[in-house]
Amino acid sequence: MLINTDDLKNKGFLDIPIDKNINIIEEINKLKIQKNAVILAHFYQIGEIQDIADFVGDSLKLAQEAAKTNADIILFAGVHFMAETAKILSPNKKVLLPDLFAGCSLADSAPAQEFAKFKKQYPNHLVISYVNTTATIKSMTDIICTSSNAKEIIDTLPKDQKIIFAPDKNLGNYINSVTGREMVLWNGACHVHEQFSVERILELKKQNPDAKILAHPECEKTVLIIADHIGSTSSLLKYTKQNEYQKFIVATESGIMHQMRKANPQKIFIGAPPKDSTCACNDCNFMKLNTLQKIYNALKYELPEIIIDEEIRVKAEKPILKMLEISEQLKL
Ligand code: 13P
Ligand code: SF4
């Protein structure tokens, strides 16, 4: 089979048709064994991808798995910055992303040159960046964090430490509010989490007064104020398992509800309504680019592969390792 590498440039994935008679899940499992490959999937993937993954988790857990796996190939069912983080941590492994166009609006909201200028305006500031950033932004960062450990990492720093927090202003504002700090915030956001409508959530709550509102800290402040629980995807999932509540309004990407329903089949989960009632905007269009077909082709042909400039990789690795080290100390 001749591989059309123009597909990678133009479409972001190998567009090779698959024989309809094969059982794609069985074939993916065979390829995993043959190639000593591991599939890491984020909670925002479609259910069938989560179900074939070796590890499903939030950004922190997936980074931790990527750092310690013995596999030769890591297939990252997630978005570009996640696969890049895996490659930064495991440079000698082949890291595959089923669709190279699976980007992230939040990571894109911090272009490197503008961020470098911004950083210059705040000398003596430590740079804490959310993991949703490009490798280049990570190379300009002192400590990386995820929504699972942002507060805890920032709490380890002296109270008078000046901090730049990038790129998510909503998470940054939330951390400022719970820590009493005044971190300087980069003005970035995620287009999925910014689209939830507080008015429509409140209407839904009126119709379902017994429902608890769950919100990811990437949501706007107006949504966070009315939430019963705020946390990373893993924290929201844990909350649904660890209490007796039966109904939840979920203000984050829809994929997490797959795990919530699996863990709590008798409970009811309702996606929080978006501002634009005509869109399917609880789905992250980037996360949802991944399909079983693309995963099969990626494993079979070992493409698309993540490649990072070594100078950037070495610089970007330091703040990620710092995050993993602090997280281990804090048992996160
Ligand atoms: P977590 O899974 O770490 O909560 O992150 C959510 C997210 O935005 C991933 O893109
Ligand atoms: Fe990026 Fe938002 Fe999609 Fe997460 S949900 S990958 S932050 S665009």
Side-chain angles (χ1 to χ4, degrees):
M1 159 72 67
L2 214 62
I3 297 173
N4 180 3
T5 44
D6 278 352
D7 273 356
L8 296 180
K9 261 188 262 144
N10 302 331
K11 299 182 180 174
F13 63 95
L14 291 178
D15 195 7
I16 300 173
I18 294 177
D19 178 354
K20 286 199 177 69
N21 297 318
I22 69 164
N23 178 325
I24 196 158
I25 293 174
E26 272 175 27
E27 294 303 316
I28 288 173
N29 284 328
K30 274 191 219 158
L31 284 167
K32 273 198 310 194
I33 297 167
Q34 264 172 33
K35 302 197 174 207
N36 188 26
V38 68
I39 298 183
L40 307 183
H42 188 264
F43 285 136
Y44 293 166
Q45 293 297 289
I46 52 170
E48 53 187 1
I49 294 182
Q50 295 189 36
D51 292 344
I52 53 142
D54 298 285
F55 298 95
V56 186
D58 67 4
S59 314
L60 176 61
K61 161 135 192 236
L62 296 176
Q64 287 166 331
E65 285 302 334
K68 69 178 186 209
T69 181
N70 293 321
D72 295 315
I73 295 179
I74 299 172
L75 182 135
F76 217 112
V79 291
H80 196 275
F81 76 80
M82 295 180 172
E84 216 174 39
T85 303
K87 183 68 183 177
I88 292 167
L89 290 167
S90 292
N92 299 324
K93 298 186 193 304
K94 194 172 261 189
V95 177
L96 306 173
L97 181 67
D99 190 320
L100 282 178
F101 292 173
C104 168
S105 56
L106 181 51
D108 289 347
S109 68
Q113 279 189 355
E114 286 169 41
F115 187 71
K117 276 191 220 149
F118 179 78
K119 200 181 145 175
K120 263 203 192 134
Q121 290 171 36
Y122 299 99
N124 310 320
H125 283 60
L126 204 75
V127 179
I128 313 261
S129 294
Y130 196 32
V131 71
N132 300 40
T133 43
T134 60
T136 313
I137 296 292
K138 287 186 176 79
S139 73
M140 298 184 225
T141 294
D142 295 296
I143 314 176
I144 291 293
C145 69
T146 75
S147 50
S148 270
N149 58 19
K151 177 181 179 297
E152 290 77 1
I153 286 180
I154 287 160
D155 279 345
T156 64
L157 303 171
K159 275 274 166 230
D160 57 354
Q161 174 67 56
K162 292 177 176 167
I163 300 171
I164 292 175
F165 186 85
D168 190 0
K169 63 175 178 199
N170 293 315
L171 176 63
N173 266 320
Y174 172 66
I175 302 290
N176 274 345
S177 74
V178 292
T179 60
R181 297 202 186 234
E182 289 179 2
M183 300 188 296
V184 177
L185 307 181
W186 177 263
N187 187 20
C190 155
H191 72 297
V192 179
H193 287 88
E194 283 226 309
Q195 55 77 33
F196 294 114
S197 156
V198 70
E199 290 81 13
R200 296 186 68 216
I201 296 176
L202 286 172
E203 258 171 52
L204 194 60
K205 172 83 179 170
K206 234 189 230 166
Q207 293 153 17
N208 300 275
D210 53 334
K212 294 288 162 193
I213 300 171
L214 309 180
H216 194 280
E218 287 173 27
C219 293
E220 289 173 335
K221 191 176 177 180
T222 47
V223 171
L224 297 182
I225 285 172
I226 59 162
D228 296 291
H229 182 68
I230 300 168
S232 63
T233 48
S234 53
S235 165
L236 300 182
L237 176 61
K238 195 164 153 198
Y239 184 82
T240 67
K241 297 184 205 169
Q242 289 189 340
N243 60 57
E244 72 288 2
Y245 306 123
Q246 294 298 310
K247 212 185 253 186
F248 302 89
I249 297 169
V250 183
T252 190
E253 212 273 354
S254 62
I256 187 66
M257 288 194 282
H258 178 66
Q259 293 298 328
M260 289 174 172
R261 291 188 176 117
K262 261 175 103 168
N264 310 281
Q266 77 294 355
K267 298 191 181 183
I268 295 167
F269 299 94
I270 313 167
K275 290 170 187 160
D276 173 359
S277 57
T278 60
C279 72
C281 22
N282 296 26
D283 287 337
C284 170
N285 49 320
F286 299 114
M287 285 280 181
K288 268 32 184 198
L289 283 177
N290 295 324
T291 61
L292 286 179
Q293 175 161 343
K294 289 179 191 174
I295 290 176
Y296 170 80
N297 278 334
L299 279 176
K300 187 165 176 186
Y301 301 103
E302 301 185 16
L303 284 170
E305 187 186 355
I306 299 288
I307 309 284
I308 306 176
D309 173 82
E310 184 59 8
E311 207 182 313
I312 297 279
R313 190 200 67 77
V314 170
K315 285 188 194 153
E317 188 181 23
K318 281 191 197 141
I320 308 176
L321 289 178
K322 189 91 189 132
M323 166 183 85
L324 293 179
E325 187 189 303
I326 301 173
S327 301
E328 200 180 329
Q329 280 161 10
L330 299 175
K331 298 194 179 7
L332 296 170

